[in-house]
Amino acid sequence: MNRAKLCCYFFVFAANVMLVSSVGEPNIIFIIADDLGWNDVSFHGSNQILTPNIDALAYNGIILNSHYVQPSGSATKAALLTGKYPIKLGMQGDPIQPGDTRALPERKLLPEYLKDIGYVTYLAGKWDLGYTRWNDTPTYRGFDHHLGFYNSWTSYYDFLTTTTVNGKDYSGLDIRRDAQPAWDLAGQYATDVLTDYAVGTIQQHDTTKPLFMMISHLAPHAANPAKPLEAPQETVDKFKHIIDSGRRTYAAMVSKIDDSVGAVVTALEQKGMFENSVIIFMSDNGAPTVGEFRNWGSNYPLKGLKGTLWEGGVRSPSFISSQLFLQKGRVSNDLIHVTDWFPTLLSAANGDVSFLDLDIDGTDIWSSLVYNFDTTRRSTLLNIDEKNRNAALILSNFKLIVGSTKNGTYDSYYGETGEENLEPVVYNTTAIAKSPAAKAIDKVSYSPTSEFEYMSLRELATLRCLDPSVKRTECDLSDGGICLFNLTKDPCEEDNMVNFLPSLVRQMKRKMVVYREGLVEWQERNLDIENSDPKLHHYTWNPWRDCADATCSA
């Protein structure tokens, strides 16, 4: 490279560095899909469910192909908001249930830190972290405002959450504006309600202050058992090529999330906020293709599903997109854990990360994202479940997994490949380029990703299993068995290398023992259903201990 060209590159790089450092605190929009499968966003290689707005943002940002979450939603949200592994909070077990006395332990959360440096904070959607007392609810835990629901699920149109305990049904409204029940929203579709709230919040936002908004979708989580999947019929009809009717409705639920992403991005652009915004998208865990709260999602080609420590349960379809990045339009295979967002977003907001507790587990990767540097994370704990006696850890590109989930019931591949259709489906790059998200990007980006580049990025983001001709060693996790996989070569976890790398196995087991020493005992599910019965609280799911009035706190 000649000297003139080198100087030119250096000048552009330096100018961009100055731009990133001078724009002030960015708006942060964190979008969480609930129980979305790896194979259910089309940027991962399937043509069955096209997600043009999601794909447009991903291709113009950074696709995070090695982004890990927890195997269940409550644990993932606890890790996100605290920057700590759930085992240090007693949150490593089952999701919090209706009438459950469990809650996220008292400690300063991400939105509280952001409020300290001037952010206005909103939560749209699912809380999932307890509501026994008012002090457990979102507007007492750092969010200025909340429109959404407290429980792990609710119905998509009437917002009734129903649970059965000892043969008796308990049902009540679970949708609120801040602390007040929002009866007027019954009859509207949940994804549309959250989208309208998010868009309205952006439109009315005072742009002299930075915005942090977490959009925690209900979709595509299954609703009440009597009618688990719901979507507008006109959206379902767009997926007539899908054979299975359950999968067809699921596809419509995912499509409504994609529409929501497009609407939010459009609102940001029209308000003049998009150029200085950071948008993160992820699923809180893998799809429960079968079993409890089945939603017909697909984690193909990954093994396992929600609730397991296989890749299908904990590797999340994710990306981050921002005009602040110096190199957009790339696929990152750097190891990232959901705890990393806690220090990373504070760093993005120009907060002083050095003041954070030393015991957080998240790693600040903001500079790595902005400047395309290598991240410093080399390992992550996925979970230790002392009750069910299973655990998993990643070190470099190797994963150690100990013990099975439900006696290995969910150890196989689950979900459609995306090719089980009544007619061939093609990947429509033009639909991506003409999506609302892409149009917004075109208005503000000096170099938007082209249609031609979409395909190469999609190819890089598509995971493939071992060649069928490769000899494999089976994995047996029964009776506390141990397996080791090279995730770079074997993301589908087909070839057990535990007997070939004994020193590495010992090293990883020692790390797991160290983590085990800091474990806080699993918070056992504790239902106080008689006192939390919605009939006692005007037929709503409501905090029930200490006081029932939102004006008081415990």
Side-chain angles (χ1 to χ4, degrees):
M1 181 182 296
N2 63 45
R3 182 174 297 178
K5 186 176 289 186
L6 181 63
C7 289
C8 180
Y9 279 129
F10 177 78
F11 176 78
V12 171
F13 178 81
N16 282 327
V17 170
M18 291 174 65
L19 174 65
V20 171
S21 61
S22 64
V23 291
E25 295 78 13
N27 306 296
I28 301 169
I29 312 296
F30 206 113
I31 304 171
I32 305 175
D34 201 329
D35 290 4
L36 179 70
W38 180 267
N39 199 39
D40 298 328
V41 288
S42 48
F43 69 76
H44 273 156
S46 173
N47 297 339
Q48 192 179 59
I49 305 175
L50 298 180
T51 51
N53 290 289
I54 289 172
D55 288 17
L57 270 183
Y59 293 148
N60 283 276
I62 306 169
I63 296 172
L64 307 174
N65 247 29
S66 295
H67 179 273
Y68 287 87
V69 293
Q70 299 303 124
S72 65
S74 294
T76 291
K77 292 181 180 67
L80 167 66
L81 295 179
T82 66
K84 293 172 69 72
Y85 293 137
I87 65 162
K88 296 182 178 180
L89 304 164
M91 296 288 293
Q92 64 269 33
D94 293 335
I96 294 173
Q97 302 295 304
D100 201 328
T101 62
R102 292 178 295 162
L104 181 64
E106 184 61 39
R107 65 178 290 119
K108 194 170 183 177
L109 304 185
L110 175 61
E112 295 176 279
Y113 278 99
L114 290 171
K115 283 181 67 172
D116 287 347
I117 53 178
Y119 275 77
V120 182
T121 59
Y122 286 80
L123 171 62
K126 180 173 175 177
W127 173 235
D128 205 21
L129 291 170
Y131 60 98
T132 305
R133 298 173 174 84
W134 286 108
N135 276 3
D136 298 325
T137 61
T139 52
Y140 288 84
R141 302 301 302 267
F143 289 101
D144 292 316
H145 297 286
H146 173 224
L147 177 84
F149 54 102
Y150 292 155
N151 286 301
S152 294
W153 74 91
T154 192
S155 58
Y156 280 81
Y157 282 102
D158 59 19
F159 299 102
L160 294 177
T161 300
T162 303
T163 188
T164 303
V165 180
N166 297 327
K168 181 180 177 182
D169 288 341
Y170 297 83
S171 186
L173 184 81
D174 193 10
I175 183 75
R176 292 174 179 269
R177 288 187 186 88
D178 296 333
Q180 299 304 315
W183 291 97
D184 59 296
L185 295 176
Q188 300 180 49
Y189 189 62
T191 305
D192 291 338
V193 167
L194 300 182
T195 302
D196 291 346
Y197 180 73
V199 168
T201 297
I202 292 167
Q203 291 172 339
Q204 298 168 23
H205 180 64
D206 177 1
T207 54
T208 63
K209 300 176 182 179
L211 171 68
F212 171 66
M213 181 161 54
M214 200 163 97
I215 306 172
S216 183
H217 281 288
L218 168 61
H221 193 290
N224 295 308
K227 196 170 185 179
L229 304 186
E230 296 181 275
Q233 189 59 48
E234 63 268 21
T235 309
V236 177
D237 289 343
K238 295 194 302 185
F239 296 93
K240 292 180 179 179
H241 59 275
I242 298 179
I243 298 169
D244 186 282
S245 61
R247 177 74 174 165
R248 199 179 307 136
T249 304
Y250 174 86
M253 295 159 70
V254 174
S255 183
K256 290 297 289 182
I257 295 177
D258 185 73
D259 291 343
S260 176
V261 169
V264 168
V265 171
T266 299
L268 288 168
E269 186 276 320
Q270 292 177 345
K271 187 70 173 180
M273 297 167 60
F274 186 51
E275 289 176 275
N276 189 31
S277 290
V278 177
I279 302 173
I280 303 101
F281 178 93
M282 73 173 200
S283 178
D284 61 344
N285 43 248
T289 305
V290 296
E292 188 178 15
F293 285 97
R294 177 188 185 188
N295 72 354
W296 280 261
S298 171
N299 303 310
Y300 182 87
L302 302 177
K303 184 180 290 188
L305 61 153
K306 176 182 179 178
T308 75
L309 291 170
W310 296 110
E311 293 292 279
V314 293
R315 190 188 283 215
S316 170
S318 310
F319 66 80
I320 182 170
S321 191
S322 178
Q323 295 303 305
L324 301 176
F325 297 155
L326 299 188
Q327 186 178 341
K328 303 182 290 290
R330 59 188 175 93
V331 177
S332 171
N333 291 304
D334 288 343
L335 179 62
I336 299 173
H337 187 261
V338 64
T339 54
D340 295 339
W341 294 119
F342 184 87
T344 297
L345 295 181
L346 285 176
S347 181
N350 296 322
D352 192 340
V353 180
S354 65
F355 283 107
L356 293 177
D357 291 342
L358 295 177
D359 65 344
I360 69 164
D361 300 293
T363 299
D364 177 8
I365 58 171
W366 180 242
S367 294
S368 302
L369 295 169
V370 173
Y371 305 116
N372 194 14
F373 297 155
D374 289 338
T375 63
T376 57
R377 182 179 279 282
R378 294 293 175 264
S379 68
T380 190
L381 178 71
L382 295 178
N383 202 31
I384 299 175
D385 182 343
E386 76 279 17
K387 181 178 178 182
N388 294 304
R389 302 183 66 186
N390 57 49
L393 176 92
I394 293 176
L395 177 61
S396 187
N397 56 319
F398 287 92
K399 176 178 175 182
L400 187 75
I401 184 167
V402 181
S404 65
T405 303
K406 295 191 176 180
N407 298 317
T409 305
Y410 302 137
D411 286 357
S412 301
Y413 296 92
Y414 288 93
E416 297 197 14
T417 65
E419 299 177 0
E420 302 89 342
N421 300 313
L422 291 169
E423 57 189 46
V425 186
V426 297
Y427 189 59
N428 189 347
T429 57
T430 302
I432 299 170
K434 293 184 176 180
S435 68
K439 290 178 180 178
I441 291 166
D442 287 343
K443 290 179 181 179
V444 301
S445 177
Y446 63 88
S447 59
T449 304
S450 68
E451 279 192 54
F452 175 78
E453 292 172 300
Y454 292 166
M455 297 307 295
S456 59
L457 289 169
R458 191 179 194 232
E459 177 70 16
L460 290 171
T462 300
L463 295 179
R464 291 176 175 81
C465 300
L466 292 173
D467 187 282
S469 63
V470 174
K471 185 178 179 181
R472 297 163 173 77
T473 302
E474 293 295 323
C475 169
D476 181 7
L477 292 176
S478 60
D479 300 320
I482 300 176
C483 296
L484 180 73
F485 302 99
N486 183 335
L487 295 177
T488 302
K489 298 179 179 179
D490 180 24
C492 303
E493 298 172 293
E494 298 176 296
D495 186 23
N496 179 19
M497 304 183 70
V498 71
N499 293 324
F500 300 98
L501 297 168
S503 61
L504 177 61
V505 171
R506 285 193 297 271
Q507 180 185 356
M508 295 178 77
K509 287 173 70 176
R510 284 195 296 269
K511 286 183 72 70
M512 203 171 280
V513 168
V514 172
Y515 281 125
R516 181 66 175 83
E517 291 172 352
L519 181 143
V520 174
E521 189 175 340
W522 219 58
Q523 288 190 45
E524 294 285 350
R525 182 185 300 182
N526 182 23
L527 299 184
D528 186 12
I529 200 68
E530 295 302 324
N531 292 313
S532 62
D533 186 346
K535 290 180 180 178
L536 303 177
H537 306 280
H538 306 288
Y539 294 91
T540 67
W541 291 101
N542 192 82
W544 67 95
R545 291 195 173 176
D546 298 326
C547 58
D549 187 345
T551 61
C552 70
S553 60

